Amino acid sequence: MSNMAVFASLGDAVLQAKRRLPHMVFDFIEGAAGLETAADENKSAFADIKLQPRILQDVATRSLNKSLLGESYALPFGVSPMGMCDLIHPGADRLIAEVGHTRNIPVCLSTAGSSSIEDFSQWSKNNASKTAWFQLYVQTPEIAMDMVKRAEKSGYHTLVLTLDVPQVSRRVRDIRNGFEIPFRIGPRQFIDFAMHPTWSINRLLNGIPRPINFELSGDGKPFDRNAQRTGADLEFLRQLRERWKGNLIIKGVMSADDALLLQSEGVDGIWISNHGGRQLDAAPPAISALPKIRAALGPDYPIIFDSGIRSGEDVVKAIALGADFVMLGRAILFALGAKGARGLDCLFDIFSNDIDTVLAQIGCANVENLDGNVLAALKQAV
Ligand SMILES: Cc1cc2nc3c(=O)[nH]c(=O)nc-3n(C[C@H](O)[C@H](O)[C@H](O)COP(=O)(O)O)c2cc1C
């Protein structure tokens, strides 16, 4: 079966994942803060951005290669950090690390991932200096610095500090479903699992994933998802900048003032994101922040973007609006939930083909040359 036959679109993958995964697991992926307005608007804002069709341009040979932070990657998109990916599919973190290596793209392990910093580096074929990145949450500076030490020892070169989760938001779906980390199985969850036998058998065979990095660093206590993550203040940032010699990227930036401060503090790049709408429901669509922040930072400062990316067209739009690189969040988990490794592969093929075709349609042969000239009309969202 060709990859394209696994599913024809991300929309189809979402439907397959919904059938295959227990409700509580699907809702953990798809859910967001509050009324889920920010999550919805992240996507609808992209629909309001239009690309300008062009003809008679030289687009016979097209390139999707994209450089970022001095590295050359084969595609302009990678994988955002996401906690507990292995819940969706056993070995998901490993598949993500491997796809980073085989496709030559950056992929980011979360602090709350179900795999260790050390394993993720090894699975990337010890390519952590390029394709495997590590994302840090700071509950206490001591635990965080221990993780930084482990990341350094494991060969990582790019550290992503996420700052938009000072406190995990109320996510109604998780509360309704009794979703907790570490996992708790009561009668309700039992029924949900029994109705999704493929997933449940896989889980029985592979065990319940845990956010292992918190056990390996610090006092060895299990991860408390609801504990504050406010340990990362400006002083911590300065200490981290001093301590970490590789690339330091700050994720969760939505304000031009914050971006300017980070630039002046010697951070190597920022990651514009509203956490896929999972934190502040009243946040503006992430894509609306991009042109303003790009204008404030100037043309050369590295900007990564995520939140609401659901197609290759969205990747092209974000780059045209000023992003150097784009990351996929939920799209990756839906693909894994739908068909595991084959789903992940299929998603990459769909996005790559989509970007390639879009470049031909808009008369731009190289993603490196995408800029505001390829945009047709911007509605008020941006
Ligand atoms: C299930 C799930 C878990 C996530 N866990 C983390 C995390 O541990 N660290 C982090 O920085 N971001 C986390 N995020 C946010 C993603 O990195 C990314 O910013 C977001 O998913 C992008 O929006 P999108 O899903 O609409 O593409 C998570 C997102 C999801 C869906």
Side-chain angles (χ1 to χ4, degrees), residues 88-156:
I88 286 97
H89 183 79
D93 284 333
R94 181 177 192 142
L95 292 172
I96 290 171
E98 287 173 355
V99 90
H101 173 70
T102 52
R103 300 247 176 192
N104 182 21
I105 50 153
V107 294
C108 194
L109 173 71
S110 159
T111 295
S114 28
S115 307
S116 74
I117 297 170
E118 293 77 7
D119 283 347
F120 196 77
S121 168
Q122 281 197 358
W123 296 330
S124 76
K125 310 273 185 269
N126 290 320
N127 206 8
S129 65
K130 183 176 185 189
T131 64
W133 295 4
F134 176 61
Q135 175 265 324
L136 187 67
Y137 275 134
V138 181
Q139 286 191 346
T140 70
E142 296 72 31
I143 295 177
M145 283 304 188
D146 189 60
M147 290 185 189
V148 168
K149 198 159 82 192
R150 287 170 50 209
E152 193 178 53
K153 241 176 117 182
S154 307
Y156 290 79

Side-chain angles (χ1 to χ4, degrees), residues 188-210:
R188 222 179 130 165
Q189 290 78 19
F190 189 80
I191 294 168
D192 192 5
F193 295 169
M195 289 172 73
H196 298 88
T198 313
W199 181 91
S200 301
I201 290 165
N202 261 334
R203 282 277 58 102
L204 279 175
L205 293 174
N206 292 282
I208 300 290
R210 306 189 315 274

Side-chain angles (χ1 to χ4, degrees), residues 25 28-31 39 42-43 79-85 88 108-113 135-137 160-165 171 225 229 251 271-278 306-310 327-331 333-334:
V25 176
F28 166 63
I29 305 173
E30 195 183 54
N42 276 342
K43 292 179 280 179
V79 180
S80 293
M82 285 173 288
M84 302 305 287
C85 295
I88 286 97
C108 194
L109 173 71
S110 159
T111 295
Q135 175 265 324
L136 187 67
Y137 275 134
V160 177
L161 173 65
T162 296
L163 290 181
D164 59 2
V165 189
R171 297 181 193 146
R225 188 191 188 202
R229 298 178 202 171
K251 177 171 183 279
W271 187 321
I272 296 178
S273 170
N274 64 13
H275 218 95
R278 291 165 81 83
D306 80 17
S307 296
I309 298 284
R310 296 294 181 272
M327 295 296 205
L328 309 188
R330 291 180 183 85
L333 299 185
F334 289 137

